[in-house]
Amino acid sequence: MTTASPTTSAPAVTGVSLVAGEEVRGDAGELRAVDPRTGEATGPIFALVGPDAVERACRAAAEAFPVYRDLAPADRAAFLRRAADEVDALGDLLTRTGSLETGLPEARLEGERARTVGQLRLLADVVEQGDHLGARLDTALPDRTPLPRPDLRLVKVPVGPVAVFGASNFPLAFSVGGGDTAAALAAGCPVVVKAHGAHPGTSELVGRAITRAVAASGLPAGVFSLVFGPGSQVGQALVADPRIASVGFTGSRAGGRALMGTAAARPVPIPVHAEMSAVNPVVVLPGALDEPAALATAFVGSLTLGAGQFCTNPGVLLLPAGGAGDAFVAAAAAAVADATGQPMLTGGIADACRRGTAALVDHDDVEEVAAGGTGAGPNAPGPRLLSTTAAAYRDRPELQEEVFGAVALLVRYGSDDELLDALRATQGQLTATLHAGPADGADAALVEQVVPLLVERAGRVLFGGWPTGVEVSHAMVHGGPWPATSDGRTTSVGTLAVDRFLRPVCYQSAPQDVLPPSLRDDNPWHLTRRVDGVLRRPEEQA
Amino acid sequence: MTTASPTTSAPAVTGVSLVAGEEVRGDAGELRAVDPRTGEATGPIFALVGPDAVERACRAAAEAFPVYRDLAPADRAAFLRRAADEVDALGDLLTRTGSLETGLPEARLEGERARTVGQLRLLADVVEQGDHLGARLDTALPDRTPLPRPDLRLVKVPVGPVAVFGASNFPLAFSVGGGDTAAALAAGCPVVVKAHGAHPGTSELVGRAITRAVAASGLPAGVFSLVFGPGSQVGQALVADPRIASVGFTGSRAGGRALMGTAAARPVPIPVHAEMSAVNPVVVLPGALDEPAALATAFVGSLTLGAGQFCTNPGVLLLPAGGAGDAFVAAAAAAVADATGQPMLTGGIADACRRGTAALVDHDDVEEVAAGGTGAGPNAPGPRLLSTTAAAYRDRPELQEEVFGAVALLVRYGSDDELLDALRATQGQLTATLHAGPADGADAALVEQVVPLLVERAGRVLFGGWPTGVEVSHAMVHGGPWPATSDGRTTSVGTLAVDRFLRPVCYQSAPQDVLPPSLRDDNPWHLTRRVDGVLRRPEEQA
């Protein structure tokens, strides 16, 4: 592996796909980024590619797979760190381009770039440590009766090339070089990214950075490709390609379900890891309302952060009826009324937000509590605060539809039972948050009933605080039961995300020279391994 | 938990379903076991139940879930051991009944009973140890800039009630109390079993044993149900029930795909773990043919074991053309011709075997090499040995269709490239086996090319030996890429099988008294946990 430093000359955005290291200008239509703050086009014209380029990218990924799969941990980790360095080296050009294409402030994108490269570096550490390989050795028992036991050794191997669909709302952290790409590359899977059309220049810059890292690391070019294609045609072709073994997607429920259908209908069905929609309920118990105004202000802060365009945006808040609950509502209403809309990521997202808001406002069981002012430009609808009863929320599933944006529904409950029934009716979520009074206070009994309902329904349960903000670490879960994701058994953020792209293989009675290093007696990768059922550190494996 | 000894009075087979501890006699048709050796009915008439009983079983499972989920490891382990004791205590009655219903020898069923109870006891050990919970703690970093890190703790929780479909060919180890049931119960999931109609009395006996264990352990009755229902109606209702969170199935590809379709079309899609079909290719390299006759005899022994009715039956063997390969064929042909058919499990399975054999024999590219004699009774087709070329095998996927029974296809390759191309065309498998000469011999270069192709296609790769015989241990993988299973990322045999029924949940900033014991600072379950990315034993967690 080479150790030359990252490219420092500023790369240009030229409007091309990157297919296994080659710049490809297609003829399947054109795309131009739009500054959502003004509605005006920005950056070069992207020449979209069709299924033929997808096919080439997938073929190159399949060809690269055996080499990339078998890299030593140190080499794969070095590549991930190089990719991080290359993205970091994009510097201001990346944040400026991203800001122009998304309307997000440059400071936010600087933070997101730090998170993106931090994620790649954390996964490099995981790859080097090797615990994710889950190596297991069962000793042969040649004298066992009635039958001997053969030598059995298990290790997790990468599933194969992975298709990744970038998200609109995190142009760096959930896009071309984001969580799914990082996890797949860490697992040993080549990646073909379908770029999100909302931030093409940002995508190309990151794609070029990873492409450079692939080349600088001496890896086969097919380890990484990035395609810009029209509508769903290229995406469907990508998921249908027989060389693709798994899919990572962040987006709408309709989009996720369509990809799941394509994946299930293949001659060889494959898993789809789709992160789709959540309203991230926040449960406020009576004991948490000592300072209702402060709590309400913090809530509106989380609600309106980034124009509410987070998967973990708190879209539903369950609150006691009357009393201190009313004080919370008054303070929240004032904060929302004082707030102004911020430019959303695209015109389409702003339109969908307006439509979703209107559907809720027009709902017989919903009252409008407050509306903030419309912001500058064409795509900045004001934040909204709505209210309904726990009984209506329990009975009307359409009240749980996510409105992507700074729109929240207050659900007022008149009794513990009303709250519990509303929670039992709540669909799967990425997060659920509980605000309760002191452990020795009046909320204690209710907490005991509420927590299991939240754990059953969410991938992450917060005690106090707000769900926006997702730490990239070992214990993070960004996933959850349907419809939050297609499969709540994995996470798309944090180091456990590597697991979704691995499968176990057992070697039976294999000679030492045939075994992968992870399973050899001499344990050259110094792995902690499970020997006859017990985890043993390298120095404990005789 | 009670510690009374297992029931010793012999329980009767009465022809009922067991719905959350209650004997249920339905009116959805009748079923009687048939002794496949004679074609005559045996045992009582089973009164089949319809979707209403399934609904009751699922409701009871959902009600039992919170209690069963939250059991301490020692209590869940005690229950699993009690279930094992109860099955063991069925003694000769179980093996006699099983033999009558399946035609399998009593000695085989005694071994299978030992395996089944051993599986339950091994999983009890796993539950007590707790490593499968995958507990992770990320320490809070309140002073970190620009943002503090909250306290984050991850643990895997059971997914919810699981539907299990018993297999025909292992009336104990892959049926009512078999691998899927044991893994789901170990994970903390209640189980609703749809019994296989081929061994109803055996199923009822085991169902009663587990039901007794549930009661003796003081658990909610809904932890376990067993339903006998007509055709696919009850099975589809079970998978469609909104309370079911996951499915374990062993059977045909058509059956597995149908359940996958039902599971994917639910308002809330769920995973299906279907183990379906495999031909378990055996690759014989030239250097392994020093003693072709001995190898051929061993092969035919594996092929005809249990009338070839194993998921891991070696249905395809790739062999050099000419020379020592011919000697292997001659010896294998003689062994097959000398062998006699054994009674298959059911008339339907024997018919399918005859049809599948005929389709292969009639195939333009297939030659018949040898046929054993038909065995006694109506259901004992003789073993068959067929042959084709590597080129035909590569180009004709229908030659990879599993014929469930003692039927093997020899694939003769004329060159290394022909072998490699045939392997590249090979579908996903439960197992793949390599017989090669010494590591320093002429096969060495080819071994290097063959092994990765086998690892890509199979869940278990054997070096020498034969794939029949699946060890229940920590490093076993009984799974594999499509069409061997619906999802090669898990195993249905061995301790790793627990993982398929778990999902991760993250607790953020949770007070100690709200955390589950697995995540508390005082670590009352003495778990090894990953603290800030590093595995630490209980005594290393300050």
Side-chain angles (χ1 to χ4, degrees):
Chain A
M1 310 288 284
T2 163
T3 54
S5 39
T7 308
T8 47
S9 64
V13 175
T14 62
V16 295
S17 292
L18 300 164
V19 175
E22 279 181 39
E23 300 185 7
V24 177
R25 201 170 282 281
D27 56 3
E30 296 185 342
L31 169 78
R32 247 189 117 188
V34 172
D35 183 339
R37 291 168 294 202
T38 62
E40 285 174 18
T42 177
I45 292 169
F46 279 72
L48 303 179
V49 299
D52 55 326
V54 169
E55 204 268 339
R56 280 169 53 199
C58 294
R59 190 162 357 109
E63 286 166 10
F65 179 48
V67 173
Y68 189 62
R69 173 191 65 200
D70 292 342
L71 279 191
D75 292 337
R76 193 178 299 145
F79 161 60
L80 292 171
R81 291 184 185 120
R82 176 64 182 245
D85 293 347
E86 292 284 354
V87 173
D88 238 358
L90 294 168
D92 291 349
L93 174 65
L94 184 63
T95 46
R96 270 203 318 275
T97 306
S99 187
L100 267 177
E101 293 185 333
T102 64
L104 296 171
E106 289 190 30
R108 143 79 193 265
L109 290 168
E110 273 165 35
E112 198 179 320
R113 189 186 65 212
R115 174 188 165 145
T116 304
V117 301
Q119 187 162 263
L120 285 161
R121 289 171 183 146
L122 182 64
L123 285 167
D125 296 344
V126 165
V127 166
E128 251 176 356
Q129 188 198 48
D131 285 354
H132 67 294
L133 298 174
R136 297 175 165 212
L137 282 64
D138 290 340
T139 314
L141 302 172
D143 302 325
R144 190 183 64 174
T145 55
L147 289 171
R149 180 169 85 176
D151 179 282
L152 297 165
R153 301 179 188 225
L154 178 155
V155 68
K156 292 190 178 172
V157 300
V159 293
V162 171
V164 171
F165 290 76
S168 63
N169 63 334
F170 278 88
L172 300 175
F174 281 85
S175 194
V176 177
D180 280 326
T181 297
L185 291 175
C189 302
V191 169
V192 180
V193 179
K194 157 94 164 58
H196 197 287
H199 49 267
T202 313
S203 295
E204 186 186 331
L205 288 173
V206 175
R208 287 182 178 276
I210 300 177
T211 298
R212 281 195 297 277
V214 170
S217 304
L219 298 177
V223 165
F224 177 81
S225 289
L226 169 67
V227 293
F228 294 87
S232 62
Q233 185 199 9
V234 151
Q236 294 290 342
L238 179 55
V239 172
D241 190 282
R243 301 161 195 89
I244 294 296
S246 189
V247 179
F249 168 87
T250 304
S252 70
R253 201 187 306 183
R257 192 123 202 184
L259 293 183
M260 289 172 71
T262 301
R266 290 166 44 123
V268 174
I270 56 173
V272 173
H273 300 284
E275 193 226 297
M276 297 178 292
S277 65
V279 293
N280 302 293
V282 176
V283 179
V284 177
L285 299 189
L289 286 170
D290 273 359
E291 298 183 54
L295 194 68
T297 307
F299 163 61
V300 175
S302 176
L303 173 67
T304 57
L305 191 70
Q309 300 169 115
F310 292 107
C311 329
T312 55
N313 190 253
V316 162
L317 185 141
L318 298 105
L319 186 71
D326 289 346
F328 178 100
V329 175
V336 166
D338 275 356
T340 305
Q342 302 157 56
M344 298 194 79
L345 292 154
T346 70
I349 287 174
D351 287 344
C353 179
R354 288 186 200 100
R355 277 197 310 275
T357 305
L360 278 180
V361 169
D362 293 346
H363 196 286
D364 286 346
D365 294 315
V366 172
E367 279 181 38
E368 181 160 351
V369 175
T374 302
N379 298 316
R384 294 287 186 108
L385 192 63
L386 312 170
S387 182
T388 190
T389 64
Y393 173 85
R394 178 195 63 200
D395 296 336
R396 307 295 293 264
E398 67 272 21
L399 296 181
Q400 292 187 46
E401 291 290 320
E402 180 186 22
V403 179
F404 194 68
V407 181
L409 181 65
L410 303 174
V411 176
R412 306 297 299 272
Y413 60 88
S415 66
D416 292 0
D417 282 344
E418 276 192 18
L419 171 62
L420 297 170
D421 282 345
L423 292 177
R424 287 187 193 105
T426 296
Q427 301 169 349
Q429 303 290 340
L430 293 170
T431 73
T433 303
L434 178 63
H435 285 264
D440 54 357
D443 288 344
L446 192 51
V447 167
E448 268 188 43
Q449 294 176 279
V450 166
V451 171
L453 295 175
L454 301 185
V455 171
E456 277 176 25
R457 281 160 183 76
R460 178 164 56 112
V461 180
L462 296 84
F463 297 82
W466 306 96
T468 41
V470 181
E471 184 72 27
V472 179
S473 68
H474 302 284
M476 176 50 63
V477 177
H478 191 66
W482 180 276
T485 75
S486 54
D487 183 350
R489 289 174 302 156
T490 69
T491 172
S492 62
V493 176
T495 60
L496 192 64
V498 178
D499 285 22
R500 53 167 59 177
F501 299 121
L502 298 171
R503 69 176 179 91
V505 171
C506 171
Y507 288 75
Q508 179 168 326
S509 306
Q512 288 295 312
D513 60 319
V514 168
L515 283 170
S518 54
L519 296 180
R520 282 185 205 144
D521 285 346
D522 63 352
N523 194 12
W525 292 350
H526 309 288
L527 300 176
T528 294
R529 304 190 289 195
R530 187 174 299 280
V531 182
D532 294 326
V534 179
L535 279 173
R536 295 198 186 282
R537 299 195 171 119
E539 65 275 17
E540 296 163 345
Q541 299 170 41
Chain B
M1 310 286 285
T2 164
T3 54
S5 39
T7 308
T8 47
S9 64
V13 175
T14 61
V16 295
S17 292
L18 300 164
V19 175
E22 278 182 39
E23 301 185 7
V24 176
R25 200 170 283 282
D27 57 2
E30 295 185 344
L31 169 78
R32 248 189 114 188
V34 172
D35 184 339
R37 290 168 294 202
T38 61
E40 285 174 18
T42 177
I45 292 168
F46 278 72
L48 302 179
V49 299
D52 55 328
V54 169
E55 203 267 339
R56 280 169 53 200
C58 294
R59 190 164 356 110
E63 285 167 9
F65 178 49
V67 173
Y68 188 62
R69 174 192 64 200
D70 292 342
L71 279 191
D75 292 337
R76 193 178 299 145
F79 161 60
L80 292 171
R81 290 182 185 123
R82 176 63 182 246
D85 293 346
E86 292 284 354
V87 173
D88 239 358
L90 294 169
D92 291 349
L93 175 66
L94 184 63
T95 46
R96 272 202 317 276
T97 307
S99 187
L100 267 176
E101 293 185 333
T102 64
L104 296 170
E106 289 190 30
R108 144 76 194 267
L109 289 168
E110 272 165 34
E112 199 179 319
R113 189 187 64 214
R115 173 187 167 146
T116 305
V117 301
Q119 188 161 262
L120 285 161
R121 290 174 183 143
L122 182 64
L123 285 167
D125 295 344
V126 165
V127 167
E128 253 177 354
Q129 188 197 47
D131 285 356
H132 66 294
L133 298 174
R136 298 176 164 211
L137 282 65
D138 290 339
T139 313
L141 302 172
D143 301 325
R144 190 182 64 174
T145 54
L147 289 172
R149 180 168 86 175
D151 178 281
L152 296 165
R153 303 180 185 223
L154 178 154
V155 68
K156 292 189 177 171
V157 299
V159 293
V162 172
V164 172
F165 290 76
S168 63
N169 63 334
F170 278 88
L172 301 175
F174 281 86
S175 194
V176 178
D180 280 326
T181 298
L185 291 175
C189 302
V191 169
V192 179
V193 179
K194 158 96 164 56
H196 197 288
H199 49 268
T202 314
S203 296
E204 186 186 331
L205 287 174
V206 175
R208 285 181 179 278
I210 300 176
T211 299
R212 280 195 298 278
V214 169
S217 304
L219 298 176
V223 165
F224 177 81
S225 291
L226 169 67
V227 294
F228 294 88
S232 62
Q233 185 200 9
V234 152
Q236 294 291 341
L238 179 55
V239 173
D241 191 282
R243 300 160 197 90
I244 294 296
S246 189
V247 179
F249 169 88
T250 304
S252 70
R253 201 186 307 183
R257 192 121 203 186
L259 293 184
M260 290 170 71
T262 301
R266 290 166 44 122
V268 174
I270 56 173
V272 174
H273 300 283
E275 193 226 297
M276 297 178 293
S277 67
V279 293
N280 302 292
V282 176
V283 178
V284 177
L285 299 189
L289 286 170
D290 274 359
E291 300 184 50
L295 194 68
T297 308
F299 163 60
V300 174
S302 176
L303 174 67
T304 57
L305 189 73
Q309 300 169 113
F310 292 107
C311 330
T312 55
N313 189 254
V316 161
L317 186 140
L318 298 106
L319 187 71
D326 289 346
F328 178 100
V329 175
V336 165
D338 275 355
T340 305
Q342 303 157 56
M344 298 194 79
L345 293 155
T346 69
I349 287 174
D351 286 344
C353 180
R354 289 187 200 98
R355 277 198 309 275
T357 306
L360 278 179
V361 169
D362 293 345
H363 197 286
D364 285 347
D365 294 315
V366 173
E367 279 181 36
E368 181 159 351
V369 174
T374 302
N379 298 316
R384 294 286 185 109
L385 193 62
L386 312 170
S387 182
T388 192
T389 64
Y393 173 85
R394 178 196 63 200
D395 295 337
R396 307 295 295 264
E398 67 271 23
L399 297 180
Q400 293 187 45
E401 291 290 321
E402 180 186 22
V403 179
F404 193 68
V407 181
L409 181 65
L410 303 173
V411 176
R412 307 296 299 271
Y413 60 88
S415 66
D416 292 0
D417 282 345
E418 276 192 18
L419 171 63
L420 297 170
D421 282 347
L423 292 177
R424 286 187 194 106
T426 295
Q427 301 169 350
Q429 303 290 340
L430 293 170
T431 73
T433 302
L434 178 63
H435 285 264
D440 53 357
D443 288 344
L446 192 51
V447 167
E448 267 187 45
Q449 293 177 279
V450 166
V451 171
L453 296 175
L454 301 185
V455 170
E456 276 176 25
R457 281 159 184 76
R460 178 165 56 112
V461 180
L462 296 85
F463 297 82
W466 306 97
T468 42
V470 181
E471 184 73 27
V472 180
S473 68
H474 303 284
M476 176 50 63
V477 176
H478 191 65
W482 180 275
T485 75
S486 53
D487 182 349
R489 288 174 302 155
T490 70
T491 172
S492 62
V493 176
T495 60
L496 192 63
V498 178
D499 286 21
R500 54 168 58 178
F501 300 122
L502 298 171
R503 69 176 179 90
V505 171
C506 171
Y507 288 75
Q508 178 169 327
S509 308
Q512 288 294 313
D513 60 319
V514 168
L515 283 169
S518 54
L519 295 180
R520 283 186 204 143
D521 285 347
D522 62 352
N523 194 12
W525 292 350
H526 308 289
L527 300 175
T528 294
R529 304 190 289 195
R530 186 174 300 279
V531 181
D532 294 326
V534 179
L535 279 173
R536 295 200 185 280
R537 298 192 171 122
E539 66 273 18
E540 296 164 345
Q541 299 169 41

